[in-house]
Amino acid sequence: LHETNNRIKIYPNPADDELYIELADETLPATDITIFDSMGRVMTNLVTEARQHRVNTSTWSPGFYVLSILGSDEKKKIIVK
């Protein structure tokens, strides 16, 4: 799993009821953001040009998730408590 620290910011991480995704690099394609659970199921898919997003995680099971951006090798681990 390739993970970067500056281009994608996710907070709070670990998350409880919600998390925020911030795309700090303006050259990063921001049109299709997907979060997968540990079984590969899509938990949420955001198709947008915005640089900041709020994701409701209150119905997600505790565990590890992966954020992926279509067209990029950027990946980020997310923990939900």
Side-chain angles (χ1 to χ4, degrees):
L1 180 66
H2 180 260
E3 184 174 347
T4 62
N5 294 322
N6 327 1
R7 295 172 65 169
I8 303 169
K9 295 179 183 175
I10 299 173
Y11 53 91
N13 194 9
D16 286 314
D17 294 332
E18 65 184 16
L19 62 87
Y20 293 88
I21 301 166
E22 185 176 320
L23 304 174
D25 186 344
E26 292 185 15
T27 64
L28 192 62
T31 55
D32 197 339
I33 299 169
T34 306
I35 300 176
F36 300 94
D37 70 6
S38 61
M39 301 297 288
R41 293 177 294 218
V42 174
M43 299 303 294
T44 191
N45 187 38
L46 307 167
V47 179
T48 181
E49 303 253 338
R51 294 277 166 221
Q52 190 171 24
H53 309 278
R54 183 178 64 82
V55 178
N56 181 348
T57 59
S58 63
T59 61
W60 297 10
S61 299
F64 290 93
Y65 297 83
V66 176
L67 177 144
S68 176
I69 297 178
L70 184 67
S72 172
D73 66 346
E74 302 293 328
K75 303 236 186 287
K76 195 77 167 170
K77 289 185 262 187
I78 299 169
I79 300 170
V80 173
K81 296 193 270 184

